[in-house]
Amino acid sequence: VLKWRLQTTDESLIPLSINCWPSDNGSGGCDVNIEFELENTDLELSDVTIAISLPHGSGPNVSECEGDYTHDTRRQQLLWQHTIIDANNKSGSMEFSAPGNPDDFFPVSVSFNSSKSYSGIKVLDCCQIDGGDPVKYISSVKFLAEKYEIV
């Protein structure tokens, strides 16, 4: 088993950029524009969920959305979902309004998985230690984010 881990605050290394702009709409709420863009087009991200925090007791009014969304009232989050984000579907946006202040919509958290490696590491061959004879092997790649937040 080979496990590779990257922990960084260097934004140039993120696979998916998220920009969230809540702005006060002057009537006790905010208009929120959120966008994503796949930064590494060699990747294929599956089951992507972008979870946007909402003020307690409020519901969003979604005006535009590329993808699907649900309102998780138990966790007080707006869940923006995409089956796949890849080179053919590398960006998207959503607009909604909700009661609250601009800081109420953070953190934004992201979850996904991928069968393509972020690092590009691949198993090319497996051999016995003694003699170097090739052996049959199976390779399985799973790339996921343990914690991916925009604060």
Side-chain angles (χ1 to χ4, degrees), residues 17-34:
S17 64
I18 308 288
N19 291 304
C20 183
W21 298 284
S23 59
D24 191 329
N25 63 16
S27 61
C30 286
D31 296 325
V32 181
N33 181 301
I34 185 164

Side-chain angles (χ1 to χ4, degrees), residues 66-138:
E66 295 176 46
D68 298 317
Y69 69 89
T70 56
H71 179 199
D72 183 341
T73 54
R74 191 174 58 101
R75 290 193 175 114
Q76 237 8 72
Q77 294 178 324
L78 178 59
L79 304 176
W80 185 21
Q81 299 153 325
H82 300 270
T83 305
I84 192 158
I85 296 176
D86 61 8
N88 296 319
N89 180 35
K90 66 180 190 172
S91 63
S93 64
M94 178 197 297
E95 293 181 18
F96 68 94
S97 57
N101 300 310
D103 290 341
D104 293 337
F105 301 95
F106 294 95
V108 174
S109 59
V110 183
S111 64
F112 61 83
N113 62 65
S114 179
S115 60
K116 290 188 174 187
S117 168
Y118 174 82
S119 65
I121 294 173
K122 293 180 184 178
V123 176
L124 300 177
D125 202 4
C126 289
C127 301
Q128 293 181 355
I129 293 174
D130 296 332
D133 293 330
V135 293
K136 288 185 177 182
Y137 69 95
I138 296 172

